Amino acid sequence: MDNQPTSVTFVNRFTVTGEPKEFEEAFSRTADFMTGQPGILGYTLSQDTEDPQRFVNIARWKNAQSLRAAVSNPDFQAHVGELRKLATSESRLYSERQRYLDGGDTAP
């Protein structure tokens, strides 16, 4: 198995301080911006089944450089500010090592 990552995964956990619906709407605007950036492969936003104030965003990127370029875009700062008014977050970037996708697509 080759140790070179084929992509990176950005994981961001949110704790919403207000209404979850308002957070989801703001996140949707951020997602619209991010999905227009080069190198994004996809994302999910999931809500905790036991605590509706908690969400997790998992975004796959072609590489770390693509993510860094997207978050360095001056237009991104407005989105960050809006989300920070609605939630606290903790994020990490991970190198992909194994994968399973519908249809049996597995890859290192």
Side-chain angles (χ1 to χ4, degrees):
M1 183 183 305
D2 187 347
N3 285 334
Q4 294 299 315
T6 57
S7 65
V8 294
T9 302
F10 179 72
V11 178
N12 200 354
R13 294 184 310 160
F14 294 96
T15 301
V16 176
T17 55
E19 290 297 320
K21 182 173 174 53
E22 185 180 2
F23 170 78
E24 287 186 60
E25 291 167 355
F27 187 90
S28 181
R29 290 186 289 275
T30 302
D32 286 345
F33 171 80
M34 293 304 272
T35 56
Q37 301 306 301
I40 191 163
L41 302 174
Y43 80 91
T44 61
L45 177 67
S46 300
Q47 187 176 35
D48 189 306
T49 59
E50 295 180 14
D51 182 351
Q53 299 300 114
R54 294 186 185 270
F55 290 80
V56 64
N57 165 236
I58 300 173
R60 291 188 57 234
W61 289 82
K62 181 178 177 182
N63 52 48
Q65 295 81 3
S66 296
L67 172 61
R68 289 186 186 110
V71 299
S72 295
N73 184 317
D75 294 335
F76 179 67
Q77 295 310 308
H79 294 287
V80 170
E82 184 177 17
L83 291 174
R84 285 187 179 151
K85 289 178 186 175
L86 302 169
T88 59
S89 68
E90 177 186 324
S91 60
R92 290 283 204 230
L93 186 62
Y94 297 88
S95 296
E96 184 175 284
R97 294 297 184 236
Q98 297 182 21
R99 163 181 41 170
Y100 171 83
L101 301 172
D102 274 347
D105 178 21
T106 60

